[in-house]
Amino acid sequence: MSRIGKKPIAIPAGVTVDYANDTVTVKGAKGTLTRAIDPAIKCEINGNELTMICPENASGDVQAKHGLYRALVANMVKGVHDGFTRNLIINGVGYKAAVQGDKLVLNIGYSHPIEVIAPQGIKFECPTQTEIVVSGFDKELVGQTAANIKAKRPVEPYHAYGVRYKEETVILKEGKKAGK
């Protein structure tokens, strides 16, 4: 049995969780998220706690999904209550970012600016010209959008020019050495 799957999920005030037809729906101040779960795994809602229940004689495949679905539902609850953010840093000569409406405009060394349109539920912010904050209530969508922005200009290992996550550490390579 999964240790993570056994943990109850605390439901904060202002968040409602519904379970019907193998589908979990979480509603909160930031939005609504829905996810279909494996029919073998059941949800039990007691007051302000949600518990994922896996049958005792379940196969290894179902037991593996027990912790997965618990983590996914916990992320849904956290997302509609608090939201998620992902911070990116742009490094390079003349590299900058700006927000225009729901678009993120990146000048990252190409002959033309790169425009990234925000998906529904995602918000872009640029506190400075070299910082990007991607925020939203769906953890998967926030992470995927940040990864798509990062993929526009991967970090090169000699000068660390490119787009990277704020907490990412770039290991620089040593350049060519002069002859003797």
Side-chain angles (χ1 to χ4, degrees), residues 7-128:
K7 284 179 154 181
I9 301 167
I11 301 171
V15 176
T16 59
V17 179
D18 295 323
Y19 174 69
N21 301 329
D22 300 323
T23 303
V24 177
T25 304
V26 181
K27 295 178 187 173
K30 303 227 181 229
T32 302
L33 293 171
T34 304
R35 178 172 303 278
I37 63 171
D38 193 306
I41 298 170
K42 303 295 178 200
C43 286
E44 190 175 282
I45 302 167
N46 294 326
N48 63 346
E49 278 192 348
L50 177 122
T51 309
M52 305 299 272
I53 299 169
C54 182
E56 290 292 326
N57 58 353
S59 67
D61 195 33
V62 173
Q63 288 181 3
K65 291 178 184 177
H66 184 213
L68 167 74
Y69 285 122
R70 188 261 176 214
L72 292 173
V73 172
N75 285 337
M76 290 166 59
V77 170
K78 183 180 178 201
V80 298
H81 188 257
D82 300 328
F84 293 100
T85 60
R86 202 76 166 121
N87 298 323
L88 297 146
I89 301 288
I90 299 174
N91 185 22
V93 177
Y95 287 16
K96 62 183 178 178
V99 176
Q100 295 175 353
D102 67 340
K103 287 191 296 189
L104 178 68
V105 180
L106 301 168
N107 292 314
I108 49 177
Y110 294 112
S111 62
H112 59 285
I114 305 291
E115 293 183 350
V116 180
I117 298 171
Q120 179 124 14
I122 295 294
K123 184 180 171 207
F124 295 131
E125 294 175 38
C126 290
T128 65

Side-chain angles (χ1 to χ4, degrees), residues 85-89 127 131-134 146 164-167:
T85 60
R86 202 76 166 121
N87 298 323
L88 297 146
I89 301 288
E131 290 182 47
I132 303 167
V133 178
V134 180
R164 64 179 175 85
Y165 297 120
K166 189 172 186 176
E167 64 276 357

